[in-house]
């Protein structure tokens, strides 16, 4: 690096005659300490500028998260900044005196907050907070456990005294679409629109699991529940179909086009949370294949409402189903066994014994009487 042109004459600048401009500037800055620049000397050799800003604590002009090192900065060295935590201060706090002891007396005297902001909407709303819920996880009016035509997933192996062993299957579900009611998941109250569908076929075990018949059902229930009371207004369509294998085995069988389009009005009452009584009446505004308009269904069921985990709990249910088309005859269906209720919803998985006596569950043979007994598994929504 080339030497500074002023390197050999650092003491000479003041011996040079002052120019007219220098004289003028020196008159303007008569006090030497107020002149920020020593005239006639290189800038890098002048005394450092002293301003009031350097005498003030630099922490006043810095963001809260930063403070200046307390050490005095030396000429030619930059100020050192250290980053501190959001809750850290530059001054000793009451806690530093107890740094070796984890029990701070100040903490013991701090009052508890009035409320916990992590409380769920269930705890905040209780039973009085109502609102809209899209696709609710539970039903306000659950299907009848012993109802022979309720939508569910099921497999039952039953023996009939005249036709032998049969397998009654069902592939169906019932789910909620929209609810206006309690926002507390533990309180099932309000109005709810559901949709349901099922296809319960009968397979003949005696004939290599040939399909004998299948009834199909779809419906739209509007339900209500308040406390121990519940109500239902629903529409459903059902139609009956005979299996091809059955027609081949019985060439003289006269196939019918059994159809019902029905409006249903029903209600239920919980004697206690585990025991429900119910009844409903239906009127078919469109019928075919021998069906007639009126039907009546009623029953009782015991199903513990508590979630019993892997241990489950016992249940029983009985249902009566009467129809005008068979001179107000019908059937009685009885079930008893063990159930498991979902931990996060009220879905039920059941296993147990089933006994049905009366008119058949398959409407393609609606005038036939059957007595069926056996074992089954059911999954209810």
């Amino acid at each position: 690096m080339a030497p500074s042109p002023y390197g050999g004459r650092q003491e000479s600048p003041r011996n040079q005659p002052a120019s007219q401009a220098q004289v003028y500037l020196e008159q303007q800055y008569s006090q030497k300490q107020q002149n920020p620049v020593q005239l006639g000397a290189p800038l890098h050799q002048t005394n450092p500028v002293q301003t009031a800003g350097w005498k003030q604590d630099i922490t006043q002009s810095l963001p809260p998260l930063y403070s200046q090192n307390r050490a005095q900065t030396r000429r030619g060295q930059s100020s050192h900044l250290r980053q501190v935590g959001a809750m850290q201060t530059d001054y000793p706090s009451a806690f530093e005196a107890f740094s070796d002891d984890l029990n701070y007396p100040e903490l013991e005297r701090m009052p508890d907050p009035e409320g916990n902001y992590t409380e769920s909407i269930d705890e905040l709303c209780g039973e009085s907070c109502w609102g809209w819920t899209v696709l609710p996880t539970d039903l306000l009016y659950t299907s009848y456990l012993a109802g022979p035509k309720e939508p569910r997933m099921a497999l039952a192996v039953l023996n009939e005294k005249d036709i032998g062993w049969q397998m009654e299957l069902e592939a169906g579900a019932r789910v909620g679409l929209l609810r206006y009611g309690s926002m507390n998941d533990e309180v099932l109250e309000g109005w709810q629109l559901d949709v349901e569908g099922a296809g319960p076929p009968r397979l003949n075990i005696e004939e290599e699991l040939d399909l004998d018949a299948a009834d199909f059902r779809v419906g739209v229930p509007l339900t209500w529940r308040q406390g121990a009371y519940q109500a239902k207004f629903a529409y459903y369509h059902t139609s009956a179909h005979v299996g091809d294998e059955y027609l081949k085995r019985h060439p003289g069988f006269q196939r019918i086009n059994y159809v019902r389009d029905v409006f249903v009005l029903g209600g239920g009452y919980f004697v206690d949370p585990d025991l429900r009584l119910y009844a409903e009446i239906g009127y078919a505004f469109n019928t075919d294949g021998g069906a007639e308009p009126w039907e009546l269904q009623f029953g009782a069921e015991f199903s513990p409402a508590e979630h019993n985990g892997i241990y489950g709990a016992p249940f029983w249910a009985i249902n009566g189903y009467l129809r005008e088309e068979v001179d107000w005859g019908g059937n009685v269906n009885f079930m008893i066994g063990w159930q498991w209720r979902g931990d996060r919803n009220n879905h039920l998985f059941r296993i147990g014994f089933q006994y049905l006596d009366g008119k058949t569950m398959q409407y393609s043979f609606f005038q036939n009487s059957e007595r069926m007994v056996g074992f089954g598994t059911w999954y209810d929504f």
Side-chain angles (χ1 to χ4, degrees), residues 122-142:
D122 297 348
E123 297 171 340
L124 295 175
C125 286
E127 301 182 14
S128 61
C129 185
W130 279 33
W132 293 98
T133 302
V134 177
L135 300 181
T137 57
D138 289 321
L139 302 176
L140 298 182
Y141 195 117
T142 56

Side-chain angles (χ1 to χ4, degrees), residues 57-68 81-86 88 90:
D57 190 355
I58 196 172
T59 57
Q60 297 180 1
S61 61
L62 292 176
L65 297 182
Y66 292 86
S67 65
Q68 185 183 11
L81 300 180
R82 59 186 177 89
Q83 185 174 1
V84 298
Q88 185 177 346
D90 287 334

Side-chain angles (χ1 to χ4, degrees), residues 148-366:
K149 290 299 183 181
E150 297 294 315
R152 58 172 57 95
M153 304 290 290
L155 186 156
V157 178
L158 306 173
N159 181 266
E160 207 285 321
K161 58 183 180 64
D162 294 326
I163 61 177
W165 288 97
Q166 308 292 308
M167 182 180 293
E168 295 286 345
L169 302 175
E170 187 168 1
R174 180 176 164 197
V175 296
L177 294 180
L178 185 66
R179 177 193 296 175
Y180 178 72
S182 173
M183 302 297 290
N184 187 335
D185 292 338
E186 301 298 325
V187 180
L188 296 177
E189 291 187 348
W191 295 85
Q192 182 165 313
L193 181 67
D194 302 334
V195 64
E196 64 180 25
R202 171 179 289 183
L203 303 182
N204 194 324
I205 298 177
E206 306 286 345
E207 298 292 339
E208 298 181 349
L209 297 178
D210 285 349
L211 175 66
D212 281 359
D215 292 348
F216 296 96
R217 169 173 171 150
V218 294
V220 182
L222 176 64
T223 63
W224 167 86
R225 181 170 178 178
Q226 184 78 34
Y229 298 91
Q230 58 182 187
K232 174 177 72 172
F233 177 75
Y235 159 79
Y236 77 83
H237 165 87
T238 187
S239 59
H241 305 272
V242 180
D244 294 338
E245 294 86 350
Y246 184 88
L247 291 176
K248 290 180 180 180
R249 297 199 313 269
H250 303 84
F253 178 80
Q254 183 63 41
R255 178 187 175 277
I256 61 174
N257 184 36
Y258 185 97
V259 173
R260 289 175 62 83
D261 288 287
V262 185
F263 286 123
V264 173
L265 181 63
Y269 173 70
F270 286 87
V271 179
D272 63 48
D274 299 338
L275 179 62
R276 176 173 69 163
L277 307 178
Y278 62 86
E280 70 176 37
I281 187 170
Y283 177 80
F285 61 89
N286 177 45
T287 61
D288 197 3
E292 295 187 19
W294 291 99
E295 64 180 27
L296 180 64
Q297 191 170 193
F298 51 89
E301 58 191 31
F302 172 81
S303 176
E306 292 293 330
H307 296 237
N308 301 108
I310 62 174
Y311 299 103
F315 83 93
W316 59 261
I318 185 170
N319 183 87
Y321 200 171
L322 307 180
R323 307 197 305 275
E324 182 184 6
E325 64 212 30
V326 289
D327 298 328
W328 292 106
N331 58 51
V332 175
N333 192 29
F334 176 74
M335 296 179 177
I336 187 171
W338 209 259
Q339 72 171 35
W340 289 265
R341 190 175 294 274
D343 290 335
R344 298 182 180 272
N345 51 46
N346 286 313
H347 295 182
L348 280 179
F349 177 73
R350 300 178 290 139
I351 60 174
F353 169 84
Q354 179 179 4
Y355 173 81
L356 183 141
D357 191 2
K359 296 301 181 179
T360 180
M361 292 184 291
Q362 295 293 335
Y363 288 157
S364 292
F365 321 118
F366 73 93

Side-chain angles (χ1 to χ4, degrees), residues 6-85:
Y6 303 98
R9 48 186 181 94
Q10 294 182 0
E11 304 296 332
S12 60
R14 288 194 175 273
N15 297 327
Q16 295 180 354
S19 67
Q20 185 177 359
Q22 289 176 325
V23 172
Y24 174 78
L25 289 176
E26 288 177 354
Q27 291 176 355
Q28 296 296 322
Y29 298 94
S30 57
Q31 296 181 2
K32 183 178 180 179
Q33 63 272 17
Q34 293 180 353
N35 188 355
V37 180
Q38 184 176 351
L39 300 178
L43 292 180
H44 69 278
Q45 292 186 4
T46 60
N47 294 328
V49 178
Q50 300 293 331
T51 64
W54 287 98
K55 297 179 181 180
Q56 296 178 354
D57 190 355
I58 196 172
T59 57
Q60 297 180 1
S61 61
L62 292 176
L65 297 182
Y66 292 86
S67 65
Q68 185 183 11
N69 194 323
R70 289 291 184 184
Q72 295 292 334
T73 59
R74 298 180 180 179
R75 185 172 56 184
Q77 293 181 352
S78 60
S79 300
H80 296 283
L81 300 180
R82 59 186 177 89
Q83 185 174 1
V84 298

